[in-house]
């Protein structure tokens, strides 16, 4: 049975091909690239690979100056805990 580390190990080569976000392409295009790798992770069927983990992967790829001080809250103060809200 696959575990969360197995998912990250399987996704690592896909995520490594995607550079950190540098604002040189539209955010939606970049988001779609990262979500393709995350979709692969989802297809492995590991229950621990939930929305919170997916948001963590997304924010990790956008880390640095383009991530607001608290990336897990939107402008209204609501928790951003799903990739759709991200």
């Amino acid at each position: 049975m696959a575990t969360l580390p197995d998912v990250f190990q399987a996704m690592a080569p896909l995520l490594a091909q995607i550079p950190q976000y540098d604002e040189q392409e539209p955010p939606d295009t970049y988001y779609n690239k990262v979500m393709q790798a995350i979709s692969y992770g989802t297809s492995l069927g590991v229950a621990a690979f939930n929305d919170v983990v997916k948001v963590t992967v997304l924010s990790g790829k956008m880390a640095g100056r383009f991530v607001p001080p608290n990336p897990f809250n939107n402008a209204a103060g609501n928790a951003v805990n799903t990739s759709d809200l991200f």
Side-chain angles (χ1 to χ4, degrees), residues 7-69:
V7 173
F8 282 118
Q9 186 175 11
M11 283 182 10
L14 300 173
L15 291 171
Q17 294 176 8
I18 304 169
Q20 292 295 104
Y21 184 66
D22 60 4
E23 253 185 30
Q24 297 301 309
E25 62 185 314
D28 289 340
T29 303
Y30 186 81
Y31 171 84
N32 289 334
K33 287 180 186 179
V34 177
M35 284 308 296
Q36 287 178 346
I38 289 174
S39 294
Y40 174 70
T42 303
S43 71
L44 297 175
V46 175
F49 192 63
N50 56 26
D51 287 336
V52 174
V53 175
K54 293 173 189 175
V55 168
T56 303
V57 171
L58 278 167
S59 63
K61 289 303 287 180
M62 297 183 77
R65 64 185 180 143
F66 301 107
V67 175

Side-chain angles (χ1 to χ4, degrees), residues 67-82:
V67 175
N70 187 353
F72 298 105
N73 290 316
N74 64 12
N78 299 322
V80 176
N81 53 15
T82 67

